Amino acid sequence: MSNIIEVTNITKSYHDGVDTVALHKVSFSVRTGEFLAIMGPSGSGKSTLLHILGLLDTPTSGSYIFNGKHTTNFSGNELADLRNREIGFVFQSFNLLPRTSVLENVKLPLYYSRVPEREWNVRAVKAIEDVGLAHRMDHSQAELSGGEKQRVAIARALVTNPEVLFADEPTGNLDSKSGKKVMSIMQNLNEKLGKTIVLITHETSTAEHSERIIRLMDGEIESDEKVKNRLTAEDEYVK
């Protein structure tokens, strides 16, 4: 199986009076259809790495190939276009529109896509069904639990059918039960729909839903290992 992400000797430095190296010669690849978790304490570089992988930032040096495209020298417009077409994001804070239905929240990325308008409702309904929220489609954000809000955010990230789903601490604002439901959905999206997922988390129990864990320390890869006892998804949360 081919690699959808290949990073080679990625370094990221900041110059704000004092030189700070956030990442130092980081190299790894992600297979198409793989579920990878990236862990590390605060200041380890995991958020910086996510921003580079998600084309929200560029490395100071090194090479980044995304889905066969050498992105390192792309212009801002080229990065934005690639990001909008091939990447989905799920954040800790949900970022849903208030007083707007689940369906309309999920449709939002399609307004900025190349997807024909006639397909918007079909795509949005399918994404909502994929996260088990068909019964909440017409409800507003105020009527949803925290776990349901995150599931809407996942559906919104899926609606453009991205090549990779990046999730930044998706269970960080959830209680334990809701967090398990969200991770079960993400694991099912990976196993049943074949979605490539890159997860940023500081929680071992969350990371163990993935196939592989990269641990960062002080901007460098400390370890890169397969998950030996991968947690099992709860199938009832995805239809």
Side-chain angles (χ1 to χ4, degrees):
M1 189 174 292
S2 61
N3 293 328
I4 193 165
I5 288 174
E6 296 180 31
V7 294
T8 306
N9 291 327
I10 288 291
T11 295
K12 182 65 178 182
S13 301
Y14 296 98
H15 307 283
D16 187 17
V18 178
D19 289 346
T20 301
V21 178
L23 295 171
H24 181 64
K25 293 187 176 181
V26 170
S27 299
F28 66 93
S29 60
V30 181
R31 292 179 291 102
T32 301
E34 188 174 11
F35 191 158
L36 170 70
I38 298 174
M39 297 188 69
S42 297
S44 63
K46 61 183 186 295
S47 293
T48 300
L49 180 57
L50 176 69
H51 289 163
I52 291 173
L53 296 178
L55 305 177
L56 296 168
D57 199 358
T58 56
T60 304
S61 63
S63 170
Y64 178 24
I65 300 174
F66 178 86
N67 203 17
K69 304 172 185 70
H70 291 262
T71 67
T72 311
N73 296 317
F74 272 26
S75 69
N77 287 338
E78 288 172 322
L79 290 174
D81 183 60
L82 184 58
R83 186 170 61 243
N84 291 340
R85 286 187 289 109
E86 301 192 28
I87 290 174
F89 292 99
V90 178
F91 297 104
Q92 181 175 340
S93 55
F94 319 137
N95 296 331
L96 301 181
L97 295 177
R99 299 180 298 280
T100 303
S101 71
V102 167
L103 181 63
E104 291 303 316
N105 263 290
V106 172
K107 282 168 61 176
L108 186 62
L110 297 172
Y111 286 85
Y112 309 99
S113 74
R114 300 177 183 177
V115 177
E117 187 173 354
R118 64 180 179 274
E119 297 181 20
W120 291 2
N121 265 26
V122 173
R123 281 189 177 232
V125 169
K126 173 64 165 58
I128 293 167
E129 290 174 345
D130 283 342
V131 299
L133 283 180
H135 62 295
R136 305 290 265 169
M137 201 169 305
D138 296 323
H139 290 245
S140 70
Q141 177 185 217
E143 300 173 290
L144 304 178
S145 68
E148 288 173 331
K149 290 176 183 177
Q150 192 58 289
R151 289 156 73 181
V152 174
I154 294 170
R156 183 183 57 195
L158 289 172
V159 76
T160 57
N161 194 26
E163 295 293 335
V164 180
L165 188 64
F166 290 100
D168 189 5
E169 300 281 4
T171 62
N173 283 337
L174 305 178
D175 59 56
S176 176
K177 183 178 179 180
S178 297
K180 288 178 181 178
K181 290 181 181 180
V182 164
M183 290 313 303
S184 292
I185 287 169
M186 298 196 74
Q187 191 170 344
N188 271 309
L189 293 173
N190 171 249
E191 294 178 351
K192 294 186 176 181
L193 300 185
K195 288 296 178 185
T196 305
I197 298 175
V198 177
L199 166 74
I200 300 292
T201 183
H202 66 278
E203 299 171 336
T204 299
S205 60
T206 298
E208 287 176 346
H209 283 273
S210 70
E211 300 172 85
R212 173 181 159 215
I213 299 175
I214 288 177
R215 299 180 192 274
L216 292 180
M217 179 63 70
D218 297 329
E220 300 183 9
I221 293 178
E222 184 179 52
S223 64
D224 183 347
E225 299 176 337
K226 293 282 187 180
V227 176
K228 295 180 180 178
N229 297 304
R230 189 181 187 191
L231 296 180
T232 303
E234 298 174 49
D235 293 336
E236 68 263 32
Y237 296 117
V238 177
K239 295 180 172 40

